Amino acid sequence: MPAEGRCAVRRTPARRPTIKDIARRAGVSESAVSFALNGRPGVSEATRARIRRVAEELGWQPSTAARALSGEGAATVGLVLARPARTLGVESFFLQLVSGVQEVLAGRGLGLLFQVVEDLDAECAVYRRWWAERRVDGLLVVDPRADDPRPALLDRLGLPAVVVGALDGRGVPHGAISTLWADDTGAMASIVGHLYGLGHRRITHIAGLPELAHTRRRMSCLRAEAARRGLPDVRSVTTDYSDAQGAEATRRELAGDRPPTAIVYDNDVMAVAGLAVAAGRGVLVPAALSIVAWDDSVLCRSTHPALTALVRDTAAFGRHAAEHLLALLDGGPPVSVQDAVPRLCPRASTGPACKGAP
């Protein structure tokens, strides 16, 4: 056959089996099939069993749209990220979180509807649209903000949700909203304690987005620990979590009159970028500068020197969030649960502060 003929061939998509096909094969009415597959009275148990057997043989699955219209749910959970899209492809935290979520959802035959938006207003607009279209049964909400408007919105819409991260007041549950959070304050305190024990007195925290509640808690804890230990040269600098802004913040800090002897980065990507900036300026790590990454990853373990980092099972964190959402969908009460505190794992990127540092 000539090439033109081959290109012109169009395959007809396989037709999905319908209720009418099941009724014809089982020798019953379409209404009987509907009763049987939806667990409603109106057919005998023998007929119900026969219809379900035929449906399985034909490979029939319920339509998500039909389930939504009948009020039976969309068999889908939603997740929206209001972050710069360019920062997501290189950050391992969300990939691990979603892998844990998906593991639990797959066990229940639920799908995950994922969308990235520019800001919080756009995220709230997505929630309203999904609610109006009955697209999702529940939501996983990430990156809590101070005075976050999303819990009240979801409460009004009646959408069950799990907020991943602590809200103000540790996210006291209300409506059908649970919270799952880790102790950012305790984690930051462990980092400061480690660096202080090594003799560091000038510490810079290169943080993430300033509007996020966990960023504010980390910054607040750093200030409190500095005040408690009498450290005047401790500060936080906010970024968008990207390697570019992490690197630029590092350059500014190292070029100052009193550069830090230790830098804490709010993610692994910025920490690796900071390590590269230090190497480019001839600043030896850890002899002249110690580096700590907030979340451990293969990046932290693959650099030279390997990066000291906070270690936690992020996939398990995602699994726990999905499990709490399924509990809400099954009619359980909302809860507020503290997950495991990240553990600091010292590696070769932290060492004693340089004795000659002013």
Side-chain angles (χ1 to χ4, degrees), residues 13 97 121 190 353:
L97 185 78
D121 289 340
S190 72

Side-chain angles (χ1 to χ4, degrees), residues 165-331:
L167 293 158
D168 291 340
R170 288 290 183 251
V172 177
H174 63 94
I177 299 173
S178 292
T179 56
L180 176 70
W181 53 280
D183 186 2
D184 292 291
T185 298
M188 177 60 85
S190 72
I191 293 174
V192 176
H194 173 67
L195 295 174
Y196 184 85
L198 291 171
H200 293 280
R201 302 296 182 261
R202 297 201 306 275
I203 303 170
T204 293
H205 169 214
I206 296 184
L209 296 166
E211 65 269 21
L212 301 186
H214 69 253
T215 301
R216 296 189 179 197
R217 281 194 299 276
R218 295 173 190 180
M219 293 167 62
S220 176
C221 177
L222 180 65
R223 290 193 300 269
E225 288 293 309
R228 186 171 72 85
R229 299 174 186 273
L231 306 178
D233 292 330
V234 172
R235 68 197 215 100
S236 295
V237 179
T238 58
T239 70
D240 66 355
Y241 284 110
S242 70
D243 56 336
Q245 289 201 11
E248 180 55 33
T250 304
R251 291 188 191 97
R252 289 196 305 268
E253 291 300 305
L254 295 182
D257 294 335
R258 289 174 59 82
T261 63
I263 301 180
V264 181
Y265 294 87
D266 259 4
N267 69 9
D268 56 340
V269 173
M270 292 196 297
V272 172
L275 178 63
V277 168
R281 297 178 64 90
V283 177
L284 298 180
V285 176
L289 176 69
S290 286
I291 289 179
V292 179
W294 193 270
D295 279 312
D296 191 29
S297 72
V298 66
L299 285 177
C300 296
R301 300 187 293 273
S302 301
T303 59
H304 181 74
L307 297 180
T308 294
L310 284 172
V311 176
R312 61 176 165 185
D313 190 339
T314 305
F317 196 42
R319 289 195 298 272
H320 298 160
E323 288 164 357
H324 286 298
L325 182 55
L326 292 185
L328 287 175
L329 296 179
D330 290 339

Side-chain angles (χ1 to χ4, degrees), residues 41-62:
V43 295
S44 68
E45 288 306 313
T47 300
R48 189 186 308 276
R50 183 169 81 256
I51 290 171
R52 288 181 172 173
R53 185 174 63 253
V54 169
E56 184 176 352
E57 291 170 354
L58 292 175
W60 178 86
Q61 292 292 332

Side-chain angles (χ1 to χ4, degrees), residues 124-186:
C124 290
V126 170
Y127 292 155
R128 294 188 187 96
R129 186 176 74 251
W130 283 355
W131 170 80
E133 297 174 353
R134 302 182 184 182
R135 296 286 298 278
V136 297
D137 297 322
L139 294 163
L140 293 167
V141 180
V142 298
D143 290 341
R145 272 80 164 169
D147 302 318
D148 200 312
R150 293 173 295 175
L153 170 63
L154 298 177
D155 202 16
R156 289 196 303 272
L157 297 177
L159 273 173
V162 171
V163 176
V164 181
L167 293 158
D168 291 340
R170 288 290 183 251
V172 177
H174 63 94
I177 299 173
S178 292
T179 56
L180 176 70
W181 53 280
D183 186 2
D184 292 291
T185 298

